[in-house]
PDB file of all heavy atoms in Angstrom:
ATOM      1  N   GLY A   1     -41.864 149.878 -24.125  1.00 96.00           N
ATOM      2  CA  GLY A   1     -42.706 148.851 -24.756  1.00 96.00           C
ATOM      3  C   GLY A   1     -41.938 147.697 -25.236  1.00 96.00           C
ATOM      4  O   GLY A   1     -42.388 146.493 -25.050  1.00 96.00           O
ATOM      5  N   ALA A   2     -40.755 147.893 -25.717  1.00 96.00           N
ATOM      6  CA  ALA A   2     -39.909 146.807 -26.183  1.00 96.00           C
ATOM      7  C   ALA A   2     -39.437 145.896 -25.094  1.00 96.00           C
ATOM      8  O   ALA A   2     -39.381 144.710 -25.188  1.00 96.00           O
ATOM      9  CB  ALA A   2     -38.620 147.401 -26.908  1.00 96.00           C
ATOM     10  N   GLU A   3     -39.138 146.526 -23.916  1.00 97.00           N
ATOM     11  CA  GLU A   3     -38.711 145.765 -22.707  1.00 97.00           C
ATOM     12  C   GLU A   3     -39.863 144.855 -22.233  1.00 97.00           C
ATOM     13  O   GLU A   3     -39.671 143.646 -21.814  1.00 97.00           O
ATOM     14  CB  GLU A   3     -38.204 146.645 -21.652  1.00 97.00           C
ATOM     15  CG  GLU A   3     -36.848 147.245 -21.926  1.00 97.00           C
ATOM     16  CD  GLU A   3     -36.382 148.273 -20.979  1.00 97.00           C
ATOM     17  OE1 GLU A   3     -37.107 149.271 -20.795  1.00 97.00           O
ATOM     18  OE2 GLU A   3     -35.283 148.149 -20.422  1.00 97.00           O
ATOM     19  N   TRP A   4     -41.084 145.469 -22.218  1.00 97.00           N
ATOM     20  CA  TRP A   4     -42.281 144.660 -21.785  1.00 97.00           C
ATOM     21  C   TRP A   4     -42.527 143.566 -22.756  1.00 97.00           C
ATOM     22  O   TRP A   4     -42.845 142.399 -22.344  1.00 97.00           O
ATOM     23  CB  TRP A   4     -43.462 145.564 -21.603  1.00 97.00           C
ATOM     24  CG  TRP A   4     -43.459 146.436 -20.466  1.00 97.00           C
ATOM     25  CD1 TRP A   4     -43.424 147.809 -20.563  1.00 97.00           C
ATOM     26  CD2 TRP A   4     -43.506 146.115 -19.027  1.00 97.00           C
ATOM     27  NE1 TRP A   4     -43.359 148.418 -19.227  1.00 97.00           N
ATOM     28  CE2 TRP A   4     -43.465 147.383 -18.342  1.00 97.00           C
ATOM     29  CE3 TRP A   4     -43.660 144.950 -18.412  1.00 97.00           C
ATOM     30  CZ2 TRP A   4     -43.564 147.390 -16.965  1.00 97.00           C
ATOM     31  CZ3 TRP A   4     -43.712 144.951 -16.978  1.00 97.00           C
ATOM     32  CH2 TRP A   4     -43.618 146.128 -16.244  1.00 97.00           C
ATOM     33  N   GLU A   5     -42.323 143.817 -24.048  1.00 96.00           N
ATOM     34  CA  GLU A   5     -42.508 142.822 -25.026  1.00 96.00           C
ATOM     35  C   GLU A   5     -41.606 141.616 -24.921  1.00 96.00           C
ATOM     36  O   GLU A   5     -42.042 140.419 -25.154  1.00 96.00           O
ATOM     37  CB  GLU A   5     -42.281 143.481 -26.462  1.00 96.00           C
ATOM     38  CG  GLU A   5     -42.458 142.508 -27.622  1.00 96.00           C
ATOM     39  CD  GLU A   5     -43.863 142.079 -27.869  1.00 96.00           C
ATOM     40  OE1 GLU A   5     -44.803 142.869 -27.554  1.00 96.00           O
ATOM     41  OE2 GLU A   5     -44.119 141.017 -28.373  1.00 96.00           O
ATOM     42  N   GLY A   6     -40.333 141.892 -24.442  1.00 96.00           N
ATOM     43  CA  GLY A   6     -39.445 140.807 -24.362  1.00 96.00           C
ATOM     44  C   GLY A   6     -39.553 140.131 -22.957  1.00 96.00           C
ATOM     45  O   GLY A   6     -38.743 139.130 -22.647  1.00 96.00           O
ATOM     46  N   SER A   7     -40.452 140.555 -22.083  1.00 96.00           N
ATOM     47  CA  SER A   7     -40.605 139.982 -20.691  1.00 96.00           C
ATOM     48  C   SER A   7     -42.034 139.642 -20.410  1.00 96.00           C
ATOM     49  O   SER A   7     -42.648 140.332 -19.491  1.00 96.00           O
ATOM     50  CB  SER A   7     -39.966 140.985 -19.710  1.00 96.00           C
ATOM     51  OG  SER A   7     -38.633 141.447 -20.206  1.00 96.00           O
ATOM     52  N   PRO A   8     -42.639 138.762 -20.984  1.00 95.00           N
ATOM     53  CA  PRO A   8     -44.069 138.463 -20.817  1.00 95.00           C
ATOM     54  C   PRO A   8     -44.367 138.084 -19.368  1.00 95.00           C
ATOM     55  O   PRO A   8     -45.487 138.374 -18.876  1.00 95.00           O
ATOM     56  CB  PRO A   8     -44.346 137.233 -21.813  1.00 95.00           C
ATOM     57  CG  PRO A   8     -42.996 136.668 -22.136  1.00 95.00           C
ATOM     58  CD  PRO A   8     -42.019 137.874 -22.042  1.00 95.00           C
ATOM     59  N   ASP A   9     -43.420 137.352 -18.632  1.00 95.00           N
ATOM     60  CA  ASP A   9     -43.720 137.012 -17.233  1.00 95.00           C
ATOM     61  C   ASP A   9     -43.790 138.248 -16.404  1.00 95.00           C
ATOM     62  O   ASP A   9     -44.688 138.335 -15.524  1.00 95.00           O
ATOM     63  CB  ASP A   9     -42.575 136.159 -16.723  1.00 95.00           C
ATOM     64  CG  ASP A   9     -42.629 134.770 -17.315  1.00 95.00           C
ATOM     65  OD1 ASP A   9     -43.691 134.414 -17.957  1.00 95.00           O
ATOM     66  OD2 ASP A   9     -41.605 134.075 -17.268  1.00 95.00           O
ATOM     67  N   ALA A  10     -42.944 139.312 -16.769  1.00 96.00           N
ATOM     68  CA  ALA A  10     -43.059 140.582 -16.029  1.00 96.00           C
ATOM     69  C   ALA A  10     -44.349 141.319 -16.239  1.00 96.00           C
ATOM     70  O   ALA A  10     -44.953 141.866 -15.319  1.00 96.00           O
ATOM     71  CB  ALA A  10     -41.902 141.417 -16.393  1.00 96.00           C
ATOM     72  N   VAL A  11     -44.872 141.170 -17.444  1.00 96.00           N
ATOM     73  CA  VAL A  11     -46.156 141.787 -17.888  1.00 96.00           C
ATOM     74  C   VAL A  11     -47.245 141.227 -16.942  1.00 96.00           C
ATOM     75  O   VAL A  11     -48.024 141.953 -16.235  1.00 96.00           O
ATOM     76  CB  VAL A  11     -46.570 141.504 -19.307  1.00 96.00           C
ATOM     77  CG1 VAL A  11     -47.941 141.971 -19.560  1.00 96.00           C
ATOM     78  CG2 VAL A  11     -45.600 142.315 -20.154  1.00 96.00           C
ATOM     79  N   THR A  12     -47.280 139.934 -16.806  1.00 95.00           N
ATOM     80  CA  THR A  12     -48.329 139.298 -15.943  1.00 95.00           C
ATOM     81  C   THR A  12     -48.327 139.766 -14.491  1.00 95.00           C
ATOM     82  O   THR A  12     -49.220 140.194 -13.933  1.00 95.00           O
ATOM     83  CB  THR A  12     -48.229 137.840 -16.037  1.00 95.00           C
ATOM     84  OG1 THR A  12     -48.413 137.345 -17.381  1.00 95.00           O
ATOM     85  CG2 THR A  12     -49.309 137.082 -15.201  1.00 95.00           C
ATOM     86  N   LEU A  13     -47.098 139.751 -13.972  1.00 95.00           N
ATOM     87  CA  LEU A  13     -46.907 140.189 -12.564  1.00 95.00           C
ATOM     88  C   LEU A  13     -47.279 141.627 -12.371  1.00 95.00           C
ATOM     89  O   LEU A  13     -47.927 142.063 -11.317  1.00 95.00           O
ATOM     90  CB  LEU A  13     -45.430 139.853 -12.096  1.00 95.00           C
ATOM     91  CG  LEU A  13     -45.103 138.378 -12.037  1.00 95.00           C
ATOM     92  CD1 LEU A  13     -43.575 138.265 -11.782  1.00 95.00           C
ATOM     93  CD2 LEU A  13     -45.923 137.640 -10.909  1.00 95.00           C
ATOM     94  N   ALA A  14     -46.727 142.430 -13.277  1.00 96.00           N
ATOM     95  CA  ALA A  14     -47.070 143.886 -13.112  1.00 96.00           C
ATOM     96  C   ALA A  14     -48.446 144.292 -13.212  1.00 96.00           C
ATOM     97  O   ALA A  14     -48.994 145.061 -12.479  1.00 96.00           O
ATOM     98  CB  ALA A  14     -46.183 144.618 -14.183  1.00 96.00           C
ATOM     99  N   ILE A  15     -49.170 143.694 -14.186  1.00 94.00           N
ATOM    100  CA  ILE A  15     -50.539 143.959 -14.398  1.00 94.00           C
ATOM    101  C   ILE A  15     -51.358 143.610 -13.095  1.00 94.00           C
ATOM    102  O   ILE A  15     -52.245 144.359 -12.571  1.00 94.00           O
ATOM    103  CB  ILE A  15     -51.185 143.194 -15.598  1.00 94.00           C
ATOM    104  CG1 ILE A  15     -50.626 143.761 -16.875  1.00 94.00           C
ATOM    105  CG2 ILE A  15     -52.705 143.275 -15.514  1.00 94.00           C
ATOM    106  CD1 ILE A  15     -51.079 145.178 -17.181  1.00 94.00           C
ATOM    107  N   GLU A  16     -51.118 142.504 -12.562  1.00 91.00           N
ATOM    108  CA  GLU A  16     -51.867 142.039 -11.336  1.00 91.00           C
ATOM    109  C   GLU A  16     -51.572 143.061 -10.160  1.00 91.00           C
ATOM    110  O   GLU A  16     -52.478 143.488  -9.500  1.00 91.00           O
ATOM    111  CB  GLU A  16     -51.354 140.673 -10.837  1.00 91.00           C
ATOM    112  CG  GLU A  16     -51.730 139.531 -11.804  1.00 91.00           C
ATOM    113  CD  GLU A  16     -51.159 138.213 -11.452  1.00 91.00           C
ATOM    114  OE1 GLU A  16     -50.332 138.183 -10.487  1.00 91.00           O
ATOM    115  OE2 GLU A  16     -51.502 137.153 -12.089  1.00 91.00           O
ATOM    116  N   ALA A  17     -50.307 143.509 -10.062  1.00 90.00           N
ATOM    117  CA  ALA A  17     -49.989 144.428  -8.997  1.00 90.00           C
ATOM    118  C   ALA A  17     -50.594 145.831  -9.272  1.00 90.00           C
ATOM    119  O   ALA A  17     -51.141 146.490  -8.324  1.00 90.00           O
ATOM    120  CB  ALA A  17     -48.472 144.540  -8.785  1.00 90.00           C
ATOM    121  N   LEU A  18     -50.699 146.285 -10.511  1.00 89.00           N
ATOM    122  CA  LEU A  18     -51.187 147.558 -10.855  1.00 89.00           C
ATOM    123  C   LEU A  18     -52.706 147.601 -10.614  1.00 89.00           C
ATOM    124  O   LEU A  18     -53.237 148.583 -10.131  1.00 89.00           O
ATOM    125  CB  LEU A  18     -50.831 147.935 -12.297  1.00 89.00           C
ATOM    126  CG  LEU A  18     -49.385 148.232 -12.508  1.00 89.00           C
ATOM    127  CD1 LEU A  18     -49.115 148.379 -13.960  1.00 89.00           C
ATOM    128  CD2 LEU A  18     -48.974 149.510 -11.735  1.00 89.00           C
ATOM    129  N   ILE A  19     -53.345 146.540 -10.969  1.00 84.00           N
ATOM    130  CA  ILE A  19     -54.852 146.544 -10.845  1.00 84.00           C
ATOM    131  C   ILE A  19     -55.136 146.447  -9.333  1.00 84.00           C
ATOM    132  O   ILE A  19     -56.130 147.135  -8.942  1.00 84.00           O
ATOM    133  CB  ILE A  19     -55.432 145.284 -11.520  1.00 84.00           C
ATOM    134  CG1 ILE A  19     -55.296 145.517 -13.002  1.00 84.00           C
ATOM    135  CG2 ILE A  19     -56.865 145.008 -11.116  1.00 84.00           C
ATOM    136  CD1 ILE A  19     -55.840 144.378 -13.934  1.00 84.00           C
ATOM    137  N   ARG A  20     -54.395 145.793  -8.511  1.00 80.00           N
ATOM    138  CA  ARG A  20     -54.588 145.640  -7.057  1.00 80.00           C
ATOM    139  C   ARG A  20     -54.440 147.099  -6.507  1.00 80.00           C
ATOM    140  O   ARG A  20     -55.147 147.548  -5.552  1.00 80.00           O
ATOM    141  CB  ARG A  20     -53.671 144.715  -6.416  1.00 80.00           C
ATOM    142  CG  ARG A  20     -54.057 143.286  -6.494  1.00 80.00           C
ATOM    143  CD  ARG A  20     -53.357 142.464  -5.437  1.00 80.00           C
ATOM    144  NE  ARG A  20     -51.890 142.589  -5.515  1.00 80.00           N
ATOM    145  CZ  ARG A  20     -51.013 141.815  -6.217  1.00 80.00           C
ATOM    146  NH1 ARG A  20     -51.572 140.928  -7.037  1.00 80.00           N
ATOM    147  NH2 ARG A  20     -49.761 141.976  -6.170  1.00 80.00           N
ATOM    148  N   SER A  21     -53.385 147.812  -6.923  1.00 74.00           N
ATOM    149  CA  SER A  21     -53.080 149.127  -6.381  1.00 74.00           C
ATOM    150  C   SER A  21     -54.188 150.113  -6.779  1.00 74.00           C
ATOM    151  O   SER A  21     -54.404 151.167  -6.125  1.00 74.00           O
ATOM    152  CB  SER A  21     -51.752 149.637  -6.937  1.00 74.00           C
ATOM    153  OG  SER A  21     -51.779 149.965  -8.331  1.00 74.00           O
ATOM    154  N   GLY A  22     -54.899 149.868  -7.930  1.00 61.00           N
ATOM    155  CA  GLY A  22     -56.001 150.792  -8.292  1.00 61.00           C
ATOM    156  C   GLY A  22     -57.339 150.458  -7.718  1.00 61.00           C
ATOM    157  O   GLY A  22     -58.334 151.160  -7.894  1.00 61.00           O
ATOM    158  N   ASP A  23     -57.436 149.398  -6.886  1.00 57.00           N
ATOM    159  CA  ASP A  23     -58.641 148.959  -6.233  1.00 57.00           C
ATOM    160  C   ASP A  23     -58.798 149.601  -4.879  1.00 57.00           C
ATOM    161  O   ASP A  23     -58.146 149.158  -3.941  1.00 57.00           O
ATOM    162  CB  ASP A  23     -58.703 147.388  -6.182  1.00 57.00           C
ATOM    163  CG  ASP A  23     -60.039 146.861  -5.776  1.00 57.00           C
ATOM    164  OD1 ASP A  23     -60.862 147.708  -5.353  1.00 57.00           O
ATOM    165  OD2 ASP A  23     -60.211 145.617  -5.743  1.00 57.00           O
ATOM    166  N   ARG A  24     -59.639 150.557  -4.759  1.00 48.00           N
ATOM    167  CA  ARG A  24     -59.822 151.226  -3.498  1.00 48.00           C
ATOM    168  C   ARG A  24     -60.444 150.259  -2.483  1.00 48.00           C
ATOM    169  O   ARG A  24     -60.289 150.598  -1.266  1.00 48.00           O
ATOM    170  CB  ARG A  24     -60.705 152.466  -3.702  1.00 48.00           C
ATOM    171  CG  ARG A  24     -59.993 153.593  -4.440  1.00 48.00           C
ATOM    172  CD  ARG A  24     -60.887 154.796  -4.718  1.00 48.00           C
ATOM    173  NE  ARG A  24     -60.144 155.935  -5.081  1.00 48.00           N
ATOM    174  CZ  ARG A  24     -59.557 156.083  -6.278  1.00 48.00           C
ATOM    175  NH1 ARG A  24     -59.688 155.069  -7.175  1.00 48.00           N
ATOM    176  NH2 ARG A  24     -58.852 157.133  -6.610  1.00 48.00           N
ATOM    177  N   ARG A  25     -60.948 149.240  -2.825  1.00 42.00           N
ATOM    178  CA  ARG A  25     -61.494 148.289  -1.870  1.00 42.00           C
ATOM    179  C   ARG A  25     -60.417 147.595  -1.189  1.00 42.00           C
ATOM    180  O   ARG A  25     -60.679 146.982  -0.023  1.00 42.00           O
ATOM    181  CB  ARG A  25     -62.357 147.219  -2.568  1.00 42.00           C
ATOM    182  CG  ARG A  25     -63.681 147.859  -3.207  1.00 42.00           C
ATOM    183  CD  ARG A  25     -64.391 146.834  -4.042  1.00 42.00           C
ATOM    184  NE  ARG A  25     -63.510 146.435  -5.179  1.00 42.00           N
ATOM    185  CZ  ARG A  25     -63.985 145.586  -6.113  1.00 42.00           C
ATOM    186  NH1 ARG A  25     -65.116 144.935  -6.054  1.00 42.00           N
ATOM    187  NH2 ARG A  25     -63.115 145.133  -7.073  1.00 42.00           N
TER     188      ARG A  25
END
């Protein structure tokens, strides 16, 4: 959590990719 806290740009990129990976469509 501390690493994500210090890397907000990485959070944005990771969230987008994770949501895409969870989209069965």
Side-chain angles (χ1 to χ4, degrees):
E3 287 173 303
W4 290 111
E5 180 69 29
S7 311
D9 291 341
V11 168
T12 301
L13 292 171
I15 288 295
E16 291 175 355
L18 290 171
I19 290 178
R20 282 200 304 272
S21 71
D23 188 352
R24 285 176 170 72
R25 293 171 298 180

